[in-house]
Amino acid sequence: MKIAFVSSEVVPFAKTGGLADVAGALPKEIENLGNEVKVFMPKYYSIDENKYNLKYNNAIGEMFIRTGGHTKSVHVFNGKLPGSNVDIHFIDYPPFFHRHQIYTDDWDEDERFILFQKAVIEFLQRISWAPDVFHINDWQTALMPILVKDNYSWDKLFDKSAFLFTIHNIGYQGRFSQDTMFRAELNGAYYYPGGPLEHEGGVNFMKGAIHFSEILTTVSETYAKELLTAEYGSGMQDFLMMRKDDLYGIINGVDYDIWNPETDRSIPFQYSMSDLSNKIENKKHLLQQMNLDFDPNIPLIGIISRLAIQKGFDIVSHVINELVHLNAQWVVLGSGESKYEDMFRSMAYNFPYKVSFYQGYNNDLSHLIEAGADMFLMPSRYEPCGLNQIYSIKYGTVPIVRKTGGLADTVQDWNEYNTYGMDIGNGYSFNDYSGYALLHAVQRAINDFHNKPVWHKIQMNGMQKVYSWKYSAEKYAELYARAIAKKKGN
Ligand code: ADP
Ligand code: GLC
């Protein structure tokens, strides 16, 4: 099959979260299964052409693309996903993509990603490459089914192309005003109250893809079920319910070329299941870097996160006093909403011997925290998949999570499962979205930390588990075939 994989972020070129990890890994596995994949992303200012050996696409040259009533001069750069032969094409339009951040609150945010999506389509036209499936991801790519149906319906090239839309996060839907119709230069046919593009009086990109994609997926089985409820569906639950027979949950895998303590070059001391002594060396190194003292009897709890409402820091704030008085140290890496940045900053200021906060984004530090911490806290309000808890499991860093979405599918509570004598408890989880449920789970983890054989068992239960992309890629390949069959049937 020929697959066009379209994403607004891809590791290692540009990343704000897990979508980039997925887009950097899954296409390689899809190609390993014998398919041909082309990946597309915008060429952001931060992407270093020389470092990644990107080549200007001379054969295509300048493409004139219309958005918002004006023609824009767009170029394409070609590269490969590192460690593979997968083509990646970068859509270059500096006025839109050379900004201080990947995502912005600028007035033309909609148009930035409309241009990106149109450019992908027009590039494929120029090379006459008709994908069997467009695998599109999140709102930044969610207009593509409508664009192909509408603006580009004159081109028979895509007549057989099906769409598979993956929802990585329903919290970001691409909601804009009605003006977006003009910027996309779509005819009004899809915009009317209750229509495929309209939601609550504005344009909603995601709703369009939910309506027009042959197959819908999300990134864990539990989240696929949760999405159909009012609590988790963020207003999309009724539209998803109408498509529920076409909605599948496929858990994300791990790119073990990047996230593996045995080979990870971002950490000073590599280690494996058979000998965890170097994990302690990483802990010492991390503590030193974060200005905290080492004590083997005090567990170190790590947090790496976008500090967004999704991630559960409001319930952390409800029990912050109790948490800092536990016999534990904390390293926190993240940025986002200022109230949570302030919370961690003041925690670090008031308890400098216990808490250290790095505000910002730091890839190397994220690897060092995975390797050096004893526990990893992820109290998410909702979590479509979550990757950090899966990385933690691999690094022998015991996750403490709220039982939701992908966290529920990957973390098995030690106490709950141990009751039945099973050897699968790999962390701690709590159900209620409350500070006290969280606090109780952290307390349980700290208690068990002091029981060395138990703690070692929990670490081993996790480290031996493999979350391979191969397994998930095979499931995607089955769904590509299903999408193609559905398209034919139409
Ligand atoms: P989400 O995509 O919702 O942010 P995931 O757990 O799926 O959550 O993925 C988050 C990814 O982003 C992980 O690879 C994590 O290490 C990384 N990450 C998040 N915040 C930071 C940060 N401040 N610095 C470095 N990496 C970060
Ligand atoms: C989103 C979700 C996260 C998921 C990631 C990759 O950002 O919030 O749970 O792991 O996408 O699918």
Side-chain angles (χ1 to χ4, degrees):
M1 292 178 281
K2 289 199 257 174
I3 312 295
F5 191 99
V6 194
S7 173
S8 55
E9 45 184 278
V10 181
V11 154
F13 308 103
K15 164 168 167 175
T16 67
L19 169 61
D21 293 13
V22 173
L26 175 59
K28 294 194 261 183
E29 289 296 339
I30 300 284
E31 192 150 289
N32 286 343
L33 295 176
N35 305 293
E36 190 183 349
V37 187
K38 289 187 186 300
V39 180
F40 295 88
M41 72 176 291
K43 187 167 176 293
Y44 302 108
Y45 184 61
S46 53
I47 299 174
D48 182 341
E49 284 162 34
N50 295 326
K51 181 170 171 197
Y52 299 115
N53 198 19
L54 308 187
K55 296 272 183 297
Y56 177 68
N57 191 324
N58 262 314
I60 299 291
E62 191 169 26
M63 298 196 292
F64 291 106
I65 296 181
R66 279 183 65 89
T67 61
H70 297 284
T71 301
K72 303 188 167 70
S73 156
V74 177
H75 299 264
V76 177
F77 283 73
N78 299 338
K80 296 278 181 194
L81 278 187
S84 80
N85 203 31
V86 176
D87 287 328
I88 173 158
H89 302 286
F90 296 84
I91 303 301
D92 188 35
Y93 183 62
F96 278 4
F97 300 124
H98 287 199
R99 296 203 182 161
H100 60 294
Q101 286 174 333
I102 294 182
Y103 309 120
T104 74
D105 291 325
D106 298 345
W107 66 275
D108 56 357
E109 186 69 353
D110 55 347
E111 198 174 337
R112 296 176 71 219
F113 290 100
I114 289 165
L115 180 79
F116 168 55
Q117 297 174 80
K118 285 193 169 182
V120 172
I121 294 167
E122 297 205 16
F123 172 80
L124 290 173
Q125 287 177 322
R126 279 161 202 247
I127 62 168
S128 294
W129 198 85
D132 294 298
V133 179
F134 282 95
H135 186 161
I136 55 176
N137 297 277
D138 276 353
W139 76 262
Q140 295 86 354
T141 61
L143 273 193
M144 290 188 76
I146 289 187
L147 290 170
V148 166
K149 248 186 211 318
D150 184 352
N151 297 38
Y152 300 96
S153 59
W154 53 269
D155 192 345
K156 301 290 164 230
L157 183 67
F158 304 118
D159 270 3
K160 296 199 176 105
S161 301
F163 280 87
L164 182 146
F165 177 49
T166 299
I167 299 172
H168 295 265
N169 196 330
I170 202 99
Y172 305 90
Q173 297 176 0
R175 292 170 177 242
F176 300 98
S177 74
Q178 193 177 338
D179 297 347
T180 296
M181 294 301 292
F182 159 74
R183 299 207 184 99
E185 306 202 345
L186 284 163
N187 79 50
Y190 301 115
Y191 190 84
Y192 53 89
L197 268 184
E198 191 276 346
H199 189 59
E200 295 176 345
V203 170
N204 186 311
F205 281 42
M206 204 176 248
K207 189 179 175 193
I210 291 172
H211 197 94
F212 284 119
S213 303
E214 274 71 23
I215 295 287
L216 307 172
T217 70
T218 187
V219 285
S220 68
E221 286 183 16
T222 296
Y223 194 60
K225 294 189 195 113
E226 288 173 342
L227 277 177
L228 302 176
T229 66
E231 185 183 353
Y232 290 98
S234 286
M236 293 291 109
Q237 61 274 11
D238 293 347
F239 315 124
L240 287 165
M241 194 53 120
M242 288 192 261
R243 299 293 319 272
K244 77 174 189 328
D245 293 342
D246 298 316
L247 171 64
Y248 299 83
I250 303 179
I251 193 84
N252 290 328
V254 173
D255 189 338
Y256 289 116
D257 290 341
I258 299 176
W259 294 98
N260 181 350
E262 292 179 43
T263 51
D264 191 336
R265 293 286 145 205
S266 307
I267 60 174
F269 305 98
Q270 285 74 40
Y271 60 96
S272 70
M273 280 182 76
S274 56
D275 182 1
L276 293 183
S277 52
N278 266 355
K279 182 164 173 56
I280 298 175
E281 296 307 312
N282 285 311
K283 179 174 175 179
K284 289 181 189 161
H285 189 86
L286 170 62
L287 287 168
Q288 194 183 23
Q289 193 168 318
M290 302 296 278
N291 285 322
L292 296 171
D293 290 335
F294 173 74
D295 179 337
N297 294 316
I298 300 182
L300 176 63
I301 305 177
I303 293 176
I304 304 166
S305 191
R306 293 184 292 113
L307 300 179
I309 180 80
Q310 167 193 353
K311 299 295 180 178
F313 295 109
D314 51 344
I315 59 172
V316 171
S317 76
H318 297 160
V319 287
I320 195 79
N321 287 327
E322 289 85 344
L323 289 171
V324 287
H325 284 103
L326 296 171
N327 188 27
Q329 292 171 309
W330 299 76
V331 285
V332 182
L333 165 62
S335 64
E337 285 185 35
S338 53
K339 62 180 169 187
Y340 301 126
E341 292 179 346
D342 293 346
M343 174 177 84
F344 286 122
R345 202 178 305 110
S346 71
M347 217 173 138
Y349 181 79
N350 292 319
F351 299 88
Y353 52 95
K354 273 192 150 175
V355 183
S356 185
F357 175 44
Y358 182 108
Q359 184 186 327
Y361 186 90
N362 185 326
N363 188 52
D364 284 343
L365 182 57
S366 74
H367 284 250
L368 185 59
I369 293 175
E370 287 294 3
D374 297 298
M375 305 167 187
F376 192 90
L377 180 62
M378 230 168 140
S380 307
R381 178 187 287 267
Y382 73 92
E383 196 60 72
C385 176
L387 290 167
N388 276 123
Q389 83 283 9
I390 313 185
Y391 302 154
S392 299
I393 288 168
K394 179 71 184 171
Y395 281 72
T397 303
V398 175
I400 306 168
V401 305
R402 171 148 182 272
K403 203 168 183 172
T404 182
L407 298 172
D409 293 356
T410 52
V411 177
Q412 280 78 40
D413 188 278
W414 166 256
N415 297 93
E416 190 183 331
Y417 284 93
N418 206 34
T419 318
Y420 304 105
M422 290 189 220
D423 280 345
I424 55 173
N426 61 4
Y428 296 84
S429 59
F430 57 96
N431 267 312
D432 287 355
Y433 189 68
S434 79
Y436 281 96
L438 177 156
L439 178 65
H440 182 57
V442 176
Q443 280 168 329
R444 285 197 289 132
I446 292 175
N447 284 342
D448 288 342
F449 175 78
H450 296 291
N451 183 339
K452 291 302 162 203
V454 161
W455 196 253
H456 191 254
K457 180 74 182 128
I458 300 171
Q459 290 178 302
M460 291 301 118
N461 283 353
M463 288 182 88
Q464 70 198 14
K465 179 118 204 247
V466 178
Y467 293 89
S468 102
W469 262 119
K470 186 168 182 295
Y471 166 80
S472 299
E474 280 165 2
K475 292 196 158 181
Y476 278 108
E478 278 168 30
L479 292 183
Y480 293 156
R482 195 172 291 237
I484 295 166
K486 275 202 79 177
K487 177 77 187 177
K488 268 199 194 134
N490 281 344

